[in-house]
Amino acid sequence: MKKITLTLAGSLIALSASVTASYADKLTFYCSAQEEWCQLMARGFEDATGIDVNMTRKSSGETFAQIRAEAVNPKGDVWWGGTGDPHLQAAEEGLTEEYLSPMRDQLHDWAIRQAESAGNKTIGIYSGALGYGYNTDLLAANNLPEPACWKDLLKPEYKQHVQMANPNSSGTAYTTLASIIQIFGEDEGFEFMKGLHANINQYTKSGSAPIKAAGRGESTIGIVFMHDAVAQAVAGFPIKVVAPCEGTGYEIGSMSIVKGARNMDEAKQFYDWALSVDAQNLALQVNAFQVPSNKGAKTSDKAPDMASIKLIDYDFVKYGSSDERKRLLQKWDEDVSVLPQ
C-alpha cells in the first residue's frame, strides 16, 4: 500500500509539472533574417524575459506564404525580419495585427513611415540598399570586366556567372524586380530581366544565398542587399561590393505580429524588446550590417553608407500592395522564368 501511495504521489507531481510547463510563457517566432541573427534574437529574448522561444527561419516570401496558409488557425506569433514588401502585403490582407509600441518615439522616421503605410500592422527594424557583389578571384580567372552598373550584368560575357534568388520565394529578389521596374520603367525593366535571365546560373530560394555562393567560389556575381555582400567580405572572402551606377532600391526590414496570435502578450513583449537599443545592437555580434531603426542603436563602420548611395524613391506602398506584387510575379513567371538559358 505504501509503495502504491508513493507511486501515486510521484505521478501527481509529474502531472503537475507537465501542466505547469504547458502553461509556461512561450513565443512562436518566425524569422526572415540570417540564421545566426535569428538564433541570437531568439536566445536574447529568452535571456531577457524567461519566455521560451520556438524559432523558425525562412525567407520572407516563404514566411508570408506560411502565415497566409495558417490564417484560419495561426501557429506563429511574431514575424521579424525580411524585406518590408511582404510585411505590407500581409497587413493589407489582414494577416497581421495593429500594434502601437511605446518604443516608437525612439525610432527613425523611415521606420514610422513604414508602420503608418500599413495601418500600424508592421514597423521598420532596419534598412539596407540593394546591389550586388562579385568574387574578384573568379572575375580575374575568367578575364571578365569589372561590373559597375545594373546594365553591365546583361553583357554576354557574364553568361552563367550571375546568381539571384527567385522573387516568388525571396523578398530580396522581389525588391530587385520592383527596383529595376522603377529605375527603367516597366517595359524596359522586364526586357532587362529577360536579358539578365540569360546570364543567370541559378535562382536560389534565399535572398542571401547568391553572395554566399560567390564567396565560396561557386558563382561569380550575386545580386543581394549590399550589407550581405559586406558580410562576406568581412568574413575574408574575395568579394567586392557594388552600388549600381543607375541608382538602386532599398529595403525597410520589418516586423509584424500575426493576427490571432496564440501568445499575443508575449508577441507584444518581443515587439517592444526588438525595437530597443540592446536588441538592435545584437546585430553587431553576427556581422549584420544593416542600419538599425532605433536612433540610439549602433551601426557598424563597415556598413554601406546609405548617404553615399544613389537611392531611388522606392514606392513601398505600391510595390508592397497585394495586387501589384501578384501581378509582377505572375508577369515574371510567364515572361521571364520560362525563357531558355
Side-chain angles (χ1 to χ4, degrees), residues 118 217 221 275 305 337:
I221 301 168
L275 296 175
D305 180 9
S337 69

Side-chain angles (χ1 to χ4, degrees), residues 236-247:
F237 296 105
I239 295 295
K240 183 171 180 179
V241 186
V242 178
C245 70
E246 299 96 339

Side-chain angles (χ1 to χ4, degrees), residues 3 23-24 26 51 53 66 71 76 84 124 162 170 203 239-240 265 319 333:
K3 183 176 180 180
Y23 283 96
K26 56 188 176 181
I51 294 171
V53 177
Q66 181 176 353
V162 184
S170 162
Y203 289 108
I239 295 295
K240 183 171 180 179
D265 290 342
Y319 292 97
D333 286 339

Side-chain angles (χ1 to χ4, degrees), residues 76-214:
D77 297 316
V78 66
W79 176 19
W80 182 90
T83 54
D85 291 333
H87 283 268
L88 292 173
Q89 187 178 358
E92 181 186 354
E93 294 187 14
L95 301 174
T96 49
E97 188 84 23
E98 179 180 355
Y99 179 56
L100 293 172
S101 171
M103 303 295 293
R104 285 166 69 99
D105 62 352
Q106 297 186 25
L107 306 183
H108 288 289
D109 290 343
W110 49 262
I112 301 301
R113 286 196 299 271
Q114 181 79 345
E116 292 173 344
S117 67
N120 296 307
K121 293 181 179 180
T122 193
I123 200 160
I125 53 175
Y126 57 73
S127 182
L130 186 70
Y132 55 87
Y134 61 84
N135 184 307
T136 55
D137 291 348
L138 285 180
L139 205 77
N142 288 279
N143 197 29
L144 295 170
E146 293 187 5
C149 305
W150 284 117
K151 286 194 173 181
D152 286 343
L153 301 184
L154 305 185
K155 294 177 179 179
E157 51 263 51
Y158 290 124
K159 187 174 181 64
Q160 290 295 304
H161 284 284
V162 184
Q163 194 171 114
M164 68 174 282
N166 187 310
N168 288 286
S169 64
S170 162
T172 302
Y174 176 74
T175 301
T176 302
L177 174 60
S179 295
I180 292 298
I181 288 170
Q182 290 173 82
I183 293 167
F184 298 117
E186 183 161 333
D187 290 343
E188 187 181 346
F190 268 96
E191 288 304 311
F192 174 95
M193 297 306 295
K194 292 175 185 178
L196 181 65
H197 176 78
N199 289 344
I200 294 290
N201 57 47
Q202 182 185 356
Y203 289 108
T204 63
K205 185 179 289 187
S206 165
S208 62
I211 199 62
K212 292 177 181 177

Side-chain angles (χ1 to χ4, degrees), residues 284-334:
L284 301 177
Q285 295 183 29
V286 289
N287 283 343
F289 296 109
Q290 290 93 325
V291 176
S293 64
N294 190 302
K295 298 174 187 176
K298 297 176 182 177
T299 301
S300 170
D301 58 3
K302 299 180 180 66
D305 180 9
M306 299 286 279
S308 67
I309 299 168
K310 185 179 179 182
L311 297 175
I312 65 172
D313 185 15
Y314 192 99
D315 191 338
F316 290 98
V317 174
K318 178 178 179 178
Y319 292 97
S321 72
S322 179
D323 289 345
E324 186 68 2
R325 187 172 187 272
K326 289 176 183 176
R327 184 183 73 82
L328 292 179
L329 289 176
Q330 182 177 353
K331 189 170 183 178
W332 185 86
D333 286 339
E334 294 175 352

